């Protein structure tokens, strides 16, 4: 694990399958074993409402930024974050200084949708981010193990890709023909 990297742009796309409607969560995290708010920038896919949630009963794509799940600028409810019902999901969380986005879509057909695009969360410790440089899968930055579901592919990139680049990646994912 390397030293903390202050707010370096990054992108974390994943492909996941929902296998348990009562709790489906895959976390692909960039983090160390830490409880530092703003330490990781990671994808959360699940239906827990403790820290944040969207419309319907979930599951939702949110960002796990440690000590909270976020789907927008404010902690808690985000009306722009829909319940996801795709069997195979493409999910993306990307961030750069004082700006981040959540994008997702059906990995079997169609385009990505933007669920949030704007300023970092309006909560102490999340702007600037304090990314810590590691990758973990299926557990939280505090080593908690509350995830379920099937993770298929993921990538962590440097920089803040354009939506056009991510749309081209989504087209390739759809062309792969997940069944």
């Amino acid at each position: 694990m390397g030293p903390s990297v202050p707010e370096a742009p990054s992108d974390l796309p994943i492909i996941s399958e929902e296998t348990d409607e009562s709790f489906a969560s895959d976390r692909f995290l960039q983090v160390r074993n830490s409880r530092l708010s703003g330490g990781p920038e990671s994808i959360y896919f699940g239906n827990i409402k403790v820290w944040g949630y969207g419309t319907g009963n979930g599951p939702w794509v949110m960002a796990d930024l440690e000590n909270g799940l976020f789907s927008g600028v404010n902690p808690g409810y985000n009306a722009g974050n829909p319940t996801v019902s795709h069997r195979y999901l493409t999910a993306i969380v990307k961030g750069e200084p004082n700006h981040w986005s959540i994008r997702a879509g059906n990995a079997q057909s169609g385009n990505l949708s933007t669920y949030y695009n704007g300023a970092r969360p309006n909560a102490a410790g999340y702007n600037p981010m304090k990314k810590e440089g590691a990758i973990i899968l299926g557990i939280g930055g505090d080593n908690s193990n509350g995830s379920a579901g099937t993770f298929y592919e993921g990538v962590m990139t440097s920089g803040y890709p354009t939506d056009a680049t991510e749309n081209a990646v989504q087209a390739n994912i759809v062309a792969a023909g997940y069944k």
Side-chain angles (χ1 to χ4, degrees), residues 8-169:
S10 64
D11 182 42
L12 296 167
I14 66 164
I15 301 167
S16 175
E17 178 183 15
E18 181 182 353
T19 57
D20 179 347
E21 291 184 23
S22 65
F23 185 76
S25 168
D26 283 300
R27 290 190 266 185
F28 182 56
L29 297 114
Q30 173 185 331
V31 66
R32 266 158 86 147
N33 189 353
S34 167
R35 288 196 173 268
L36 179 67
S37 295
E41 183 161 77
S42 57
I43 295 168
Y44 171 84
F45 176 56
N47 61 4
I48 193 167
K49 288 186 171 183
V50 175
W51 297 284
Y53 59 98
T55 60
N57 293 321
W60 310 278
V61 176
M62 295 187 276
D64 184 340
L65 306 177
E66 200 56 49
N67 296 324
L69 297 174
F70 295 90
S71 60
V73 69
N74 294 313
Y77 176 70
N78 176 9
N81 193 0
T83 290
V84 176
S85 60
H86 316 305
R87 178 168 181 196
Y88 297 95
L89 172 71
T90 303
I92 297 172
V93 170
K94 61 181 179 178
E96 62 184 349
N98 198 32
H99 181 242
W100 68 294
S101 296
I102 299 175
R103 302 189 75 218
N106 185 337
Q108 293 180 299
S109 66
N111 300 314
L112 295 172
S113 297
T114 301
Y115 297 165
Y116 178 75
N117 181 26
R120 290 284 183 190
N122 184 18
Y126 298 98
N127 189 28
M129 295 288 287
K130 300 159 216 58
K131 300 175 187 175
E132 295 186 306
I135 300 171
I136 58 177
L137 177 62
I139 60 171
D142 60 357
N143 207 28
S144 61
N145 183 6
S147 65
T150 304
F151 173 86
Y152 288 100
E153 299 182 47
V155 64
M156 185 170 70
T157 65
S158 176
Y160 193 88
T162 64
D163 288 355
T165 298
E166 292 169 344
N167 291 339
V169 169

Side-chain angles (χ1 to χ4, degrees), residues 88 107-109 171-179:
Y88 297 95
Q108 293 180 299
S109 66
N172 286 337
I173 291 168
V174 169
Y178 281 89
K179 296 186 190 262

